[in-house]
């Protein structure tokens, strides 16, 4: 067993970053709801994205200036930027809905967003467990399962988009939104893979 | 000369992973043939993709739990996930053909698939040579040449797709398929670059 | 303070690579001008891209064969391939304009290209300062500011493309060009982030 006296704030920053993702996923769900204030939601999303950026930068600066880190420096970078990627993709989806003036969103999108909300919760719950490296396996297994489910929704949506019931320009718009959501799910899976890798190394 | 007593099974796993790519490229060629059972082929492709995933996970677990690795840990990760990426893109192409119900595929796609089949064979032949690090140069030079040829096919196909003879929705569908094939070729080149980097470091 | 006697040629190669980007951005601006010889410009762009590839390969070979490097080996790789990525995206944009026979380019594209030209100049000016690690902060702050401005242009262009005034096929073509330009701006930001990370570590 290695003994490493470390600053706990690394864990706090990871937990904080993951909390921003929970908030972002909730805003995404609101954005898809009918009759909501999309301009206002998009603004809140941008704020959430900036807050996540800020936490990521704090983490990276701390890694660069700390002598003893709780786990390998490159794993901390990878985890921080992996979490930040999720936020960027969620913000992109919200932004595109507004920018393209998408009016009717296929109902299948709600499935993708539910997957994202569940992934965000699981990730936020898992971050504090990095401190003991215990009970993390259930987290990454469940994320992988959710990613598979998300992938199936994604493919169903694509088949629907290209079925002929939408105009080409509408397909282009919706595909960009759906691709951003899919990229966010994939980014959650990459985070889980990084956590798995860290856990295996440190155990 | 460093002396590193190593478990040969790393090489076996890399060879196995590359063999899955040879199988995948063959399925891709079948998918483009007329009158073939596309549903059946897509299912075989999914199985091949899962098998490749399995080999990749085995490699990563072994790296994480082995004290002496045949070459740098991060290079093993990079090579394993590089090979896995190729498989993901080939599977994506097959899946999109089925999902979008693409009926007529431009004949130029066959050129891209031939490039992929040749890349897969060369890569599978090169993997066992990692053990001695000999005669690898001809492999990465040839892959780079094939990637250039593939790139030219890709650009010819794009020009054809946008020439006006296809409807916008059909262009969208075909471009997704063609982009997946192009991404698979690029992923083969990244694998060759990783091998080159390993060979230069270890020599 | 560490004392590292180093070969200055690493810095020369980085400066040279960044100079290719200045040249590439100028060619991009010419490509968008009316009445210019697009075939000739595209050929010059391909030559510039090959020259950048050559510098990148020289850098990577030198890292692999040099015992003492001016900063961490993986940072040199990251910086070299980050600069090379910028070139690839700029070359892609030029190539697509020619390949798709895009005739009228929305005027907003010029804004994106101005951002790219400014980023290229700042990056080329910053490279020699890696030797002393002084006065780099202003560089990465300004690149981040430019990337934000570029992002706003990008979104304005997307909104215009999808406003209904363009045909779906034209939207597809222009979006590919605009996405390549946006990817080039993002790649400049990644380069600046790598420089920041190196500077913080080495200071």
């Amino acid at each position: 067993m290695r003994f490493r006296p470390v600053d706990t704030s690394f864990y706090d920053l990871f937990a904080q970053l993951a909390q921003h993702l929970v908030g972002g996923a909730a805003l995404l769900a609101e954005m898809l709801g009918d009759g909501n204030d999309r301009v206002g939601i998009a603004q809140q999303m941008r704020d959430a994205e900036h807050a996540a950026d800020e936490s990521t930068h704090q983490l990276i600066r701390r890694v660069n200036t700390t002598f003893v880190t709780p786990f390998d420096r490159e794993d901390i970078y990878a985890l921080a930027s992996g979490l930040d990627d999720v936020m960027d993709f969620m913000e992109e989806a919200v932004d595109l809905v507004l920018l393209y003036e998408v009016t009717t969103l296929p109902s299948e999108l709600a499935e993708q967003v539910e997957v994202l909300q569940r992934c965000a919760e699981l990730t936020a719950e898992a971050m504090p467990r990095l401190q003991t490296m215990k009970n993390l396996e259930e987290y990454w297994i469940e994320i992988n399962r959710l990613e598979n489910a998300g992938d199936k929704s994604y493919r169903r949506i694509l088949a629907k988009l290209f079925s002929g019931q939408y105009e080409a320009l509408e397909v282009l718009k919706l595909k960009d939104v759906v691709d951003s959501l899919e990229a966010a799910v994939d980014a959650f899976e990459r985070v889980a893979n990084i956590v798995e890798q860290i856990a295996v190394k440190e155990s």
Side-chain angles (χ1 to χ4, degrees), chain A:
Chain A
M1 212 43 233
R2 268 171 290 175
F3 176 74
R4 295 193 186 176
V6 292
D7 196 339
T8 55
S9 56
F10 273 108
Y11 306 108
D12 295 342
L13 283 166
F14 277 123
Q16 193 178 305
L17 189 44
Q19 276 305 327
H20 291 311
L21 301 184
V22 174
L27 287 166
L28 201 47
E30 272 189 68
M31 191 74 180
L32 299 187
D34 282 329
N36 287 332
D37 166 25
R38 291 188 169 177
V39 174
I41 295 167
Q43 184 55 55
Q44 284 178 266
M45 193 73 188
R46 264 191 295 275
D47 295 343
E49 196 263 325
H50 288 151
D53 264 355
E54 192 43 52
S55 302
T56 307
H57 275 113
Q58 265 182 273
L59 262 161
I60 288 176
R61 295 213 155 246
R62 184 144 322 161
V63 169
N64 286 332
T65 55
T66 300
F67 191 66
V68 180
T69 54
F71 35 88
D72 285 349
R73 231 161 265 273
E74 57 269 30
D75 291 329
I76 296 179
Y77 283 127
L79 186 52
S81 67
L83 290 163
D84 196 47
D85 285 348
V86 176
M87 195 55 147
D88 288 348
F89 290 122
M90 293 199 301
E91 198 262 335
E92 186 179 82
V94 163
D95 195 55
L96 290 175
V97 169
L98 193 71
L99 196 66
Y100 292 170
E101 300 180 18
V102 178
T103 43
T104 41
L105 290 156
S107 56
E108 286 87 351
L109 263 74
E111 283 177 33
Q112 276 189 304
V113 174
E114 271 167 43
V115 165
L116 284 171
Q117 287 192 279
R118 192 73 197 110
C119 284
E121 285 159 19
L122 287 168
T123 305
E125 283 165 27
M127 289 300 111
R129 302 208 294 273
L130 287 172
Q131 203 152 359
T132 58
M133 291 288 168
K134 288 205 192 330
N135 307 319
L136 283 164
E137 195 167 357
E138 59 199 61
Y139 148 69
W140 70 65
I141 289 173
E142 181 62 9
I143 294 284
N144 275 283
R145 201 194 59 74
L146 284 165
E147 194 274 334
N148 280 331
D151 209 46
K152 291 215 178 75
S153 299
Y154 173 64
R155 289 168 187 224
R156 264 200 305 276
I157 300 173
L158 287 186
K160 189 176 176 180
L161 284 184
F162 285 98
S163 64
Q165 67 175 110
Y166 294 92
E167 301 241 339
L169 206 63
E170 203 59 25
V171 173
L172 262 177
K173 288 179 180 184
L174 290 172
K175 187 159 187 295
D176 266 7
V177 175
V178 168
D179 281 347
S180 302
L181 296 177
E182 169 70 2
V185 180
D186 286 348
F188 267 123
E189 194 190 26
R190 272 198 304 280
V191 166
N193 290 344
I194 293 164
V195 170
E196 178 177 5
Q197 211 160 291
I198 293 170
V200 173
K201 263 203 258 179
E202 300 291 317
S203 67

